[in-house]
Amino acid sequence: MSLNSTPSGERTHIGFFGRRNAGKSSVVNAFTNQQISVVSDVKGTTTDPVTKAMELLPLGPVMIIDTPGFDDEGALGEERVRRAKQVLNRADIAVLVVDSTAGKTAADEELIAIFKKKNIPYIVAYNKCDLTGESAHADGVSVSAAERINIELLKETVARLVKSDADSRRVCGDLVSQGDFVVLVVPIDKAAPKGRLILPQQQTIRDLLDSGAVPIVCRDEELQITLQKLPAPPKMVITDSQAFGRVKNIVPEDVPLTSFSILMARYKGFLETAVKGAAAIEKLRDGSRVLIAEGCTHHRQCDDIGTVKLPNMLKKYTGRSIVIETSSGKGFPEDLSGFDLVIHCGGCMLNEREVRYRRQFAGDSGVPFTNYGTALAYMQGILKRTLSVFPDLYNMV
């Protein structure tokens, strides 16, 4: 996968924060050497978070986020501050831009407190050092966006803050050996994107290839004949969760079976939470509120998984009149009180920090949290079977 095609969920998210007119947008433009943000002397020029996916040496694929001023005022200003705070839920690194001619303000100190509370690595960029003559700060870097002073030093400092275990995280490559056959079941229906595979399928194939395994891709209609023609049983079968109903009856019991969604939950670090949360389906009653959340935004089909298939299956399985609410993209609710369960997608379009925030927020709110594939496996009565490749989780069910 090239740097230019790296999905947003796999990029390091760098958020630039600070009060109005501290020079955030100017620093962002200098940092990226691009005109990403509009620059003006008028306070509040940046009214919404501005994002830009790019390759930034020495960091590699990143997502740059310029945020509105944290000291904005009035009803509209409060909304801008709220949106800036939302960025904090997905920022892997925070850059606090301070106007060195004025020094830190209460808004700056509040941001630092939030960085520490959320355990976000951060650096303070004291901008406009060309006007003050300051060359060093004990807790940050003196920079000038206008004169491009110490911009490279700022990049290097940010790069040192990046602590990623992305190279050690695997979708499923650590579960197979070189030469193993792995059958991937990819249903092709009107909900499938034309001419391409969805991201979890692409990532799974690539991870298997990197491990020397042999991925064999077929539709569910050809699964039976594919298994019959293999010289030996496959190491495992990985299917789209929506096809569990059919696939479970075709794959022999002694062949491990799991799904792309379950593997993505593991890759994003919340599979154990998802397994525990699925049991909450049994506690749903008439009037129970369930949030079905997706990390991406897409054109919804008539049989969309999040708005049609999952709600219908939940109501059929429980026999209850359940209230279903949905969210997509960055629109995850800021208040989960009153919800009895959150069923999230695999999170392939979200970075690990945002997925972790959503999971933790649900936990702090006392709301069980699971995901699409785990919930579907639970309602199909095969959750334990789909966890056979994960002994620790298998024994939990």
Side-chain angles (χ1 to χ4, degrees):
M1 182 176 294
S2 70
L3 290 170
N4 289 333
S5 63
T6 302
S8 61
E10 301 301 305
R11 293 175 178 269
T12 298
H13 285 51
I14 306 172
F16 287 75
F17 303 87
R19 66 180 182 83
R20 292 171 294 170
N21 272 26
K24 293 187 307 301
S25 297
S26 296
V27 172
V28 167
N29 290 342
F31 190 86
T32 61
N33 201 28
Q34 295 185 26
Q35 292 299 310
I36 291 176
S37 300
V38 176
V39 175
S40 169
D41 290 334
V42 178
K43 284 188 175 183
T45 300
T46 303
T47 58
D48 289 288
V50 177
T51 62
K52 173 67 174 180
M54 61 183 298
E55 176 191 354
L56 189 64
L57 297 176
L59 299 172
V62 299
M63 183 71 75
I64 301 294
I65 312 171
D66 186 12
T67 64
F70 204 72
D71 61 339
D72 215 336
E73 301 169 337
L76 184 57
E78 289 179 3
E79 175 62 19
R80 292 170 179 169
V81 172
R82 185 184 71 82
R83 295 187 182 187
K85 287 182 177 179
Q86 287 180 332
V87 174
L88 287 162
N89 297 328
R90 63 181 189 272
D92 296 302
I93 303 292
V95 178
L96 173 60
V97 179
V98 171
D99 182 347
S100 62
T101 65
K104 287 181 185 174
T105 65
D108 296 324
E109 296 294 353
E110 182 181 354
L111 276 165
I112 290 175
I114 295 175
F115 299 156
K116 292 179 178 179
K117 181 179 180 181
K118 290 182 173 290
N119 197 29
I120 303 173
Y122 73 94
I123 182 68
V124 181
Y126 289 91
N127 191 29
K128 306 179 185 179
C129 71
D130 55 311
L131 301 179
T132 63
E134 295 173 332
S135 60
H137 279 274
D139 61 343
V141 178
S142 293
V143 303
S144 169
E147 301 296 330
R148 293 195 59 83
I149 298 173
N150 286 339
I151 296 300
E152 292 304 316
L153 175 60
L154 179 61
K155 288 183 186 180
E156 294 167 3
T157 305
V158 169
R160 287 197 294 270
L161 292 176
V162 177
K163 297 178 180 179
S164 174
D165 62 349
D167 292 338
S168 63
R169 290 188 294 127
R170 306 296 298 272
V171 177
C172 62
D174 57 320
L175 305 175
V176 298
S177 301
Q178 186 173 13
D180 283 341
F181 289 105
V182 180
V183 176
L184 311 180
V185 183
V186 179
I188 303 297
D189 53 25
K190 57 186 176 183
K194 186 175 179 59
R196 63 183 177 87
L197 300 177
I198 62 175
L199 183 57
Q201 295 163 356
Q202 296 176 41
Q203 289 182 285
T204 301
I205 292 172
R206 179 54 195 263
D207 197 33
L208 289 170
L209 291 174
D210 286 342
S211 299
V214 182
I216 301 170
V217 185
C218 67
R219 301 184 304 175
D220 45 336
E221 290 92 338
E222 286 76 43
L223 175 59
Q224 184 81 59
I225 191 170
T226 298
L227 293 175
Q228 291 173 352
K229 289 188 173 183
L230 285 178
K235 179 72 172 183
M236 72 174 73
V237 173
I238 304 170
T239 181
D240 187 295
S241 302
Q242 299 178 63
F244 268 145
R246 181 175 183 181
V247 171
K248 68 176 183 179
N249 296 322
I250 299 175
V251 178
E253 287 286 343
D254 59 345
V255 174
L257 169 65
T258 191
S259 77
F260 296 106
S261 181
I262 288 174
L263 290 176
M264 285 306 300
R266 175 194 185 229
Y267 181 67
K268 294 294 182 176
F270 70 99
L271 181 54
E272 181 176 347
T273 299
V275 170
K276 293 177 180 177
I281 293 174
E282 300 295 338
K283 300 179 181 179
L284 297 177
R285 299 291 181 263
D286 290 337
S288 291
R289 293 174 64 208
V290 176
L291 174 67
I292 297 180
E294 291 186 340
C296 60
T297 56
H298 61 271
H299 177 70
R300 297 189 184 280
Q301 305 286 339
C302 59
D303 56 352
D304 180 71
I305 177 65
T307 57
V308 179
K309 291 181 179 178
L310 259 176
N312 289 343
M313 185 171 286
L314 275 171
K315 292 173 181 178
K316 181 178 180 180
Y317 180 85
T318 63
R320 304 289 185 174
S321 298
I322 302 169
V323 179
I324 303 292
E325 299 184 30
T326 61
S327 70
S328 61
K330 306 303 180 185
F332 195 73
E334 296 181 8
D335 182 4
L336 292 178
S337 61
F339 283 106
D340 299 285
L341 177 64
V342 173
I343 304 179
H344 206 287
C345 68
C348 65
M349 295 303 294
L350 303 176
N351 66 330
E352 186 180 3
R353 178 174 285 274
E354 184 160 11
V355 173
R356 185 165 64 245
Y357 157 74
R358 295 184 178 194
R359 177 196 66 188
Q360 184 173 335
F361 181 49
D364 292 343
S365 301
V367 182
F369 187 95
T370 189
N371 85 318
Y372 286 13
T374 309
L376 288 169
Y378 183 92
M379 289 186 283
Q380 291 280 355
I382 59 170
L383 180 56
K384 193 173 184 72
R385 180 181 179 186
T386 62
L387 298 174
S388 63
V389 291
F390 313 117
D392 293 344
L393 296 178
Y394 178 84
N395 294 324
M396 282 175 47
V397 181

